[in-house]
């Protein structure tokens, strides 16, 4: 008897079709991304869909970097999906399902452009996309899974009972499942894990592993598509609207994608004064800002990019321009910096970054991505991110100096240096946050909340201050109870 060719291992009419919503443009939640979106897309949609997807993929990368288990990854990513890329099941009648699926569709294709350019980017993008696909597929009800399988024309063949008779003794009954017969090169992951039966260059895969074949199929499809996109890309390079967006997107994997922190809205404390900065820096600032603060105190001065990085950060922490001028004037204590020199050479710049001079723009504080990707520093510069800019040796001793009294010790260094070696700088920073806030109840893997990684220095500082205020309130509450 000949092998049969089927779509999946269950016939279309049997399961799944009844769950399709005919009123939707995208009746299925899962997408194999084999057809690009063809309708008009605004530049804003193009960028938003890609950025939100990138936030999701960057968190998936962080999960890999932190060796999170499948269950932990699922738990953490569920929250991230809700926040950035919700994709409801077809049964959710009140949700904008088509809108969500369209955004998912557009985001995937935009990121293909951004990540097809180098082999390293392609590899990382595929790994994260396959995980996203797996997480979503695993979250599908069986009927939806089957409806998706049925919608695709996979050329998977089921081995006949006669074939299996020659391979398996005793023969499994129908209820014990059937076997797919595929060229072994189509399922190298299963071959490597010895989860198939090999014969004559063919791999016999139990139907229980159907999802694994699907994931591999998705990966192979994406690899081919990215190579094709890379070949088509030179034509796109002429588009001056899209290229800067794509360039920026491809940096997102290095340090996650931060939300914009451009003003003091949501700051835990809007009465920040110049006198409070010292204490805050030691208790709540991430290594980049802590380093700038230490250099400022040591040298009585900071060079231009250091002033810019630290000044905007402090602005977003809640320091008013009046207090900022007090802070910087006192901090610039080098003998040659007189009041006159300060007013002439520095005051304008500080007022400028508060939007009070020049273009009067409300400048955003720099994100981890902007700081990490800013490139090499010159001698005497103190801006940047210590996790990328310091040698391993200097980084370890700087971290111990900064955070030793908050619980960081030399036993944490191997784990941190491993992350740095693998270029997961913001993940190392997140781990430092967790360790130094364990007294406030932060556990390993929780990040700056709900498992999220650090993507912005102001996010780090705001969360740190929030935790300490929560702890203070709790302690006050307990005192009140004792007093009563
Ligand atoms: Fe600062 Fe971000 Fe580097 Fe942490 S990862 S030190 S917050 S730039």
């Amino acid at each position: 008897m000949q092998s049969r060719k089927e779509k999946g291992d269950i016939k279309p009419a049997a399961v799944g079709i009844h769950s399709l919503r005919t009123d939707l443009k995208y009746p299925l939640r899962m997408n194999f991304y084999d057809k690009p979106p063809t309708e008009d897309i605004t530049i804003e949609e193009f960028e938003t869909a890609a950025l939100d997807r990138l936030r999701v993929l960057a968190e998936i990368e962080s999960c890999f970097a932190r060796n999170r288990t499948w269950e932990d990854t699922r738990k953490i990513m569920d929250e991230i999906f809700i926040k950035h890329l919700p994709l409801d099941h077809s049964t959710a009648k009140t949700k904008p399902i088509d809108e969500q699926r369209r955004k998912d569709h557009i985001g995937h294709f935009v990121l293909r452009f951004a990540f097809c350019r180098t082999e390293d980017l392609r590899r990382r993008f595929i790994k994260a996309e396959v995980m996203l696909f797996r997480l979503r597929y695993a979250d599908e009800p069986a009927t939806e899974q089957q409806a998706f399988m049925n919608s695709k024309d996979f050329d998977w063949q089921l081995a006949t009972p006669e074939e299996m008779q020659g391979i398996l003794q005793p023969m499994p009954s129908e209820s014990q499942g059937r076997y797919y017969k595929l060229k072994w090169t189509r399922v190298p992951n299963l071959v490597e894990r010895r989860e198939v039966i090999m014969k004559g260059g063919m791999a016999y895969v139990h139907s229980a592993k159907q999802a694994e074949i699907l994931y591999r199929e998705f990966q192979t499809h994406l690899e081919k598509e990215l190579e094709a996109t890379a070949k088509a890309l030179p034509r796109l390079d002429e588009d001056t609207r899209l290229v800067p967006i794509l360039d920026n997107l491809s940096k997102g994997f290095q340090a996650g994608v931060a939300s914009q922190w451009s003003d003091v809205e949501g700051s835990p404390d809007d009465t920040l004064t110049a006198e409070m900065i010292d204490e805050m820096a030691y208790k709540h600032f991430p290594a980049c800002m802590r380093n700038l603060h230490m250099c400022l105190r040591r040298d009585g001065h900071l060079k231009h990019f250091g002033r810019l990085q630290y000044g905007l950060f402090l602005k977003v922490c809640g320091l008013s321009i009046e207090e900022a001028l007090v802070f910087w004037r006192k901090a610039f204590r080098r003998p040659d910096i007189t009041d006159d020199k300060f007013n002439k050479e520095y005051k304008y710049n500080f007022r400028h970054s508060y939007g009070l001079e020049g273009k009067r723009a409300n400048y955003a504080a720099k994100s981890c991505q902007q700081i990490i990707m800013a490139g090499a520093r010159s001698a005497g510069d103190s801006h940047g991110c210590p996790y990328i800019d310091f040698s391993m040796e200097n980084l370890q001793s700087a971290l111990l100096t900064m955070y030793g009294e908050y619980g960081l010790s030399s036993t944490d260094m191997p784990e941190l240096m491993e992350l740095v070696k693998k270029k997961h700088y913001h993940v190392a920073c997140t781990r430092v946050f967790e360790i130094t806030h364990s007294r406030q109840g932060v556990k390993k893997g929780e990040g700056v909340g709900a498992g999220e990684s650090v993507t912005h220095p102001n996010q780090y500082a705001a969360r740190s201050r929030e935790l300490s205020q929560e702890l203070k309130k709790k302690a006050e509450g307990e005192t009140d109870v004792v007093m009563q």
Side-chain angles (χ1 to χ4, degrees):
M1 198 191 288
Q2 293 294 305
S3 294
R4 283 177 291 153
K5 180 182 164 187
E6 289 188 13
K7 293 176 182 177
D9 65 351
I10 301 175
K11 289 192 178 68
V15 184
I17 288 298
H18 69 275
S19 65
L20 286 185
R21 292 250 319 256
T22 47
D23 57 324
L24 295 174
K25 187 171 168 248
Y26 291 89
L28 290 165
R29 181 171 172 262
M30 297 299 296
N31 194 331
F32 208 71
Y33 310 108
D34 34 11
K35 288 189 198 95
T38 47
E39 70 273 34
D40 289 346
I41 299 164
T42 62
I43 287 278
E44 199 191 339
E45 267 183 303
F46 181 92
E47 200 169 11
T48 313
L51 271 175
D52 282 340
R53 191 180 195 84
L54 189 53
R55 289 189 169 99
V56 165
L57 297 187
E59 272 312 323
I60 290 180
E61 260 229 332
S62 295
C63 289
F64 287 135
R66 306 193 64 172
N67 291 325
R68 289 196 206 275
T69 61
W70 166 254
E71 276 315 318
D72 281 351
T73 303
R74 251 179 119 162
K75 209 164 100 201
I76 281 158
M77 291 312 300
D78 271 354
E79 304 248 1
I80 307 282
F81 291 152
I82 293 170
K83 213 163 153 190
H84 301 299
L85 205 60
L87 199 64
D88 284 295
H89 293 290
S90 300
T91 45
K93 296 258 161 41
T94 55
K95 304 281 180 166
I97 289 182
D98 263 336
E99 213 177 287
Q100 293 175 350
R101 294 177 185 179
R102 174 180 143 90
K103 181 179 171 186
D104 175 67
H105 193 196
I106 295 171
H108 171 87
F109 275 91
V110 177
L111 291 190
R112 273 195 196 178
F113 283 123
F115 289 93
C116 68
R117 300 158 166 225
T118 68
E119 210 181 312
D120 180 52
L121 284 175
R122 285 201 286 270
R123 186 184 50 75
R124 293 169 72 176
F125 177 68
I126 290 167
K127 194 172 170 194
E129 276 284 339
V130 171
M131 180 52 113
L132 175 59
F133 188 86
R134 289 178 79 115
L135 288 165
R136 283 177 173 169
Y137 189 77
D139 187 39
E140 288 285 81
T143 49
E144 292 281 319
Q145 287 184 345
Q146 204 51 56
F148 176 67
M149 286 289 196
N150 294 339
S151 74
K152 312 267 34 115
D153 190 17
F154 295 126
D155 59 342
W156 306 344
Q157 291 184 342
L158 277 170
T160 62
E162 290 81 358
E163 267 176 297
M164 292 317 293
Q165 219 156 23
I167 297 168
L168 280 182
Q169 287 301 337
M171 257 297 283
S173 67
E174 185 84 0
S175 64
Q176 286 172 310
R178 291 173 291 172
Y179 282 80
Y180 290 103
K181 178 187 167 187
L182 302 154
K183 261 194 125 171
W184 75 269
T185 47
R186 289 182 67 174
V187 282
N189 48 336
L190 294 178
V191 175
E192 195 186 321
R193 301 205 303 259
R194 295 171 185 271
E195 290 178 6
V196 298
I197 301 164
M198 295 286 293
K199 193 168 182 233
M202 302 304 280
Y204 293 82
V205 187
H206 193 274
S207 55
K209 304 258 175 241
Q210 189 194 50
E212 293 290 331
I213 310 176
L214 174 68
Y215 303 148
R216 184 68 207 183
E217 201 79 33
F218 180 68
Q219 178 173 338
T220 310
H221 164 72
L222 201 47
E223 282 163 359
K224 282 188 195 144
E225 292 291 314
L226 280 182
E227 272 170 37
T229 313
K231 282 186 192 137
L233 203 66
R235 273 181 277 144
L236 197 79
D237 273 348
E238 289 154 22
D239 194 320
T240 49
R241 293 162 311 159
L242 302 186
V243 170
I245 300 176
L246 295 176
D247 280 344
N248 207 28
L249 286 171
S250 59
K251 291 174 185 165
F253 263 160
Q254 295 281 359
V257 188
S259 306
Q260 267 228 340
W261 289 71
S262 57
D263 49 37
V264 295
E265 211 183 305
S267 159
D269 184 356
D270 55 7
T271 53
L272 194 61
T273 62
E275 275 76 51
M276 292 159 71
I277 305 292
D278 267 325
E279 195 191 336
M280 261 188 56
Y282 293 114
K283 282 191 182 161
H284 303 301
F285 288 1
C288 50
M289 302 305 167
R290 186 77 194 265
N291 178 53
L292 280 164
H293 191 78
M294 282 159 60
C295 293
L296 178 62
R297 288 293 179 236
R298 185 194 61 203
D299 304 334
H301 182 256
L302 278 183
K303 289 175 83 173
H304 174 73
F305 289 112
R307 291 200 299 273
L308 192 66
Q309 184 176 316
Y310 197 33
L312 288 172
F313 167 82
L314 290 176
K315 176 181 89 163
V316 176
C317 281
L319 193 69
S320 66
I321 180 62
E322 294 76 21
E323 286 298 319
L325 290 173
V326 172
F327 170 75
W328 287 104
R329 178 63 201 107
K330 275 194 190 162
F332 278 16
R333 53 176 176 70
R334 238 174 38 190
D336 62 308
I337 306 176
T338 60
D339 281 346
D340 194 36
K341 185 177 164 86
F342 182 84
N343 288 339
K344 275 192 194 140
E345 293 179 24
Y346 302 111
K347 196 171 169 182
Y348 178 90
N349 285 127
F350 293 124
R351 286 179 51 81
H352 188 268
S353 57
Y354 274 76
L356 299 171
E357 304 283 358
K359 276 203 294 179
R360 296 184 175 257
N362 187 16
Y363 294 99
K366 300 218 176 295
S367 68
C368 295
Q369 189 197 111
Q370 289 168 314
I371 296 173
I372 290 173
M373 304 301 289
R377 302 176 309 160
S378 331
D381 277 339
S382 33
H383 64 281
C385 169
Y387 294 95
I388 183 171
D389 293 319
F390 286 16
S391 68
M392 290 279 185
E393 210 174 286
N394 288 349
L395 176 61
Q396 295 188 56
S397 80
L399 289 176
L400 289 172
T401 308
M402 291 172 185
Y403 300 112
E405 62 176 301
Y406 296 101
L408 193 78
S409 76
S410 48
T411 53
D412 299 310
M413 291 303 142
E415 182 190 354
L416 294 173
M417 294 309 114
E418 197 50 38
L419 289 168
V420 172
K421 256 190 242 159
K422 290 185 180 154
K423 302 187 178 172
H424 299 301
Y425 310 112
H426 72 306
V427 182
C429 183
T430 309
R431 187 69 196 113
V432 168
F433 181 92
E434 290 169 353
I435 297 167
T436 55
H437 291 81
S438 57
R439 290 171 199 166
Q440 282 102 318
V442 176
K443 295 193 184 65
K444 184 171 182 176
E446 280 186 9
V448 282
E452 237 178 295
S453 308
V454 174
T455 52
H456 200 294
N458 282 97
Q459 168 206 30
Y460 184 118
R463 181 70 186 135
S464 176
R465 292 170 74 193
E466 204 176 87
L467 283 167
S468 126
Q469 280 172 2
E470 277 169 18
L471 200 71
K472 206 165 126 201
K473 270 192 201 141
K474 205 172 148 208
E476 281 167 5
E478 277 165 12
T479 317
D480 285 349
V481 172
V482 173
M483 304 264 290
Q484 277 165 17

